[in-house]
Amino acid sequence: MAMDAGEIERLIREGIPDCEVRIEDLRGDGDHYAAYVTSASFEGKTRIEQHKMVFEALQGKMDEELHALAIQTSLPK
Amino acid sequence: MENVIFDRIKKDISENDVVLYMKGNAAFPQCGFSSLAVQVLSQLGVQFKDINVLEEAEMRQGIKDFTDWPTIPQLYVKGEFVGGSDIIREMYEAGELQQLLADKGVQAA
């Protein structure tokens, strides 16, 4: 069961309130997305910790339901 | 049951410098993300132990619990979790993966 981009974006925004997030549907099949998440709260955190913040925002959907979500985290310029 | 899996994971990541928990194996990755991780390691000429989590449901869930990371593949270097395919790619592109391997004394071609 795929998730739609709006749902992913909403969850990430709720989980990381100050973030900017852009979702890209990589293949147009509703099952392969990329999420570009920029947030000041990533400051001082390792990539693993940053990605875990995104996983937590997705409330466990990151495993089977959301098979293919590439994640790119970054700090605000 | 879980301890058996955790014990095996601890054994694998301590006995092998580089371990990739993946879907499929190095010769036949069965998922785009796993395939990307294999390509990066092959590009770097790094020997690694590939563990196919598709062969054992307990390992597939066990490694996610062990690492507290919800996706596959997972890369371990010298017993330390490095990341999934996104982080592997990002570090590779930034030259950080090469640096990490060198720092840890892992032979890369």
Side-chain angles (χ1 to χ4, degrees):
Chain A
M1 201 281 298
M3 276 172 75
D4 70 41
E7 170 78 353
I8 298 169
E9 191 171 324
R10 185 182 62 74
L11 284 171
I12 294 176
R13 269 195 212 294
E14 268 173 27
I16 308 173
D18 77 321
C19 82
E20 266 173 59
V21 50
R22 181 169 61 85
I23 306 293
E24 206 182 304
D25 189 335
L26 296 175
R27 294 194 199 150
D29 60 4
D31 202 22
H32 293 79
Y33 294 108
Y36 301 90
V37 188
T38 302
S39 164
S41 61
F42 290 150
E43 184 73 46
K45 292 199 169 57
T46 65
R47 281 196 184 90
I48 289 175
E49 287 160 342
Q50 293 175 23
H51 283 226
K52 279 192 175 176
M53 286 170 69
V54 178
F55 290 149
E56 265 138 42
L58 291 168
Q59 297 164 9
K61 295 187 189 322
M62 188 59 211
D63 196 356
E64 291 319 325
E65 195 178 319
L66 189 53
H67 165 67
L69 174 69
I71 292 174
Q72 177 103 31
T73 55
S74 57
L75 292 168
K77 293 270 175 306
Chain B
M1 182 53 196
E2 197 156 11
N3 296 341
V4 170
I5 293 286
F6 278 23
D7 292 342
R8 255 179 58 199
I9 294 169
K10 285 176 198 153
K11 185 169 175 298
D12 285 333
I13 61 176
S14 58
E15 287 176 357
N16 300 278
D17 281 353
V18 182
V19 182
L20 183 67
Y21 291 87
M22 64 177 289
K23 290 178 182 173
N25 56 48
F28 299 103
Q30 289 174 263
C31 157
F33 293 112
S34 289
S35 165
L36 182 122
V38 167
Q39 279 164 30
V40 166
L41 293 172
S42 312
Q43 282 282 326
L44 296 175
V46 171
Q47 295 290 332
F48 64 96
K49 180 176 172 72
D50 54 347
I51 294 178
N52 182 358
V53 301
L54 295 178
E55 280 167 2
E56 286 171 82
E58 308 86 32
M59 178 56 82
R60 179 174 185 168
Q61 190 50 50
I63 188 62
K64 290 176 184 176
D65 298 337
F66 181 85
T67 315
D68 183 26
W69 186 266
T71 59
I72 300 291
Q74 295 186 18
L75 178 64
Y76 273 81
V77 173
K78 293 271 185 173
E80 248 179 77
F81 177 58
V82 174
S85 67
D86 296 326
I87 290 178
I88 293 166
R89 180 179 44 77
E90 234 177 285
M91 289 180 71
Y92 173 64
E93 285 165 0
E96 287 173 23
L97 191 54
Q98 296 83 323
Q99 189 58 53
L100 173 80
L101 292 164
D103 293 349
K104 301 262 182 183
V106 174
Q107 276 314 323

